Amino acid sequence: AVVDTLQRGTRVRAALSTLPAEQAEVIRLAFFEDRPHADIERVLSIPLGTVKSRLRLAMNRLRAHLGDFGSPQSGVSRNGEPS
């Protein structure tokens, strides 16, 4: 289980490293710092629509890079819980 967790972490870090800097920044703020979109808008001084667009583009890239990472066969559900 610990090895699986480490491998998942490695895959996610690798996928995050493929993102353009501005997309990685909104992912970091939204998911790792748990900031609301309006807060990200203020911190980065960009329109709320741009925050949402960057998040959507980043999530699409991460899904494409991670492939089956969130499928039941991978042992992790879409919400991050073990399946």
Side-chain angles (χ1 to χ4, degrees), residues 33-81:
E33 294 187 17
D34 200 28
R35 293 187 183 215
H37 295 175
D39 193 25
I40 298 169
E41 170 190 25
R42 282 190 302 277
V43 168
L44 299 179
S45 299
I46 59 175
L48 182 59
T50 301
V51 171
K52 292 180 180 211
S53 291
R54 288 181 184 177
L55 283 168
R56 180 183 49 80
L57 291 168
M59 292 302 291
N60 287 342
R61 283 179 185 249
L62 291 172
R63 279 188 202 100
H65 188 77
L66 293 170
D68 68 348
F69 188 66
S71 69
Q73 300 92 325
S74 71
V76 177
S77 67
R78 291 222 171 238
N79 66 2
E81 296 295 321

Side-chain angles (χ1 to χ4, degrees), residues 1-29:
V2 172
V3 172
D4 287 340
T5 300
L6 292 173
Q7 289 174 341
R8 282 193 293 265
T10 299
R11 280 186 75 187
V12 170
R13 279 190 298 282
L16 287 169
S17 73
T18 68
L19 295 176
E22 53 277 339
Q23 291 176 16
E25 181 72 0
V26 294
I27 290 289
R28 182 183 64 78
L29 291 168

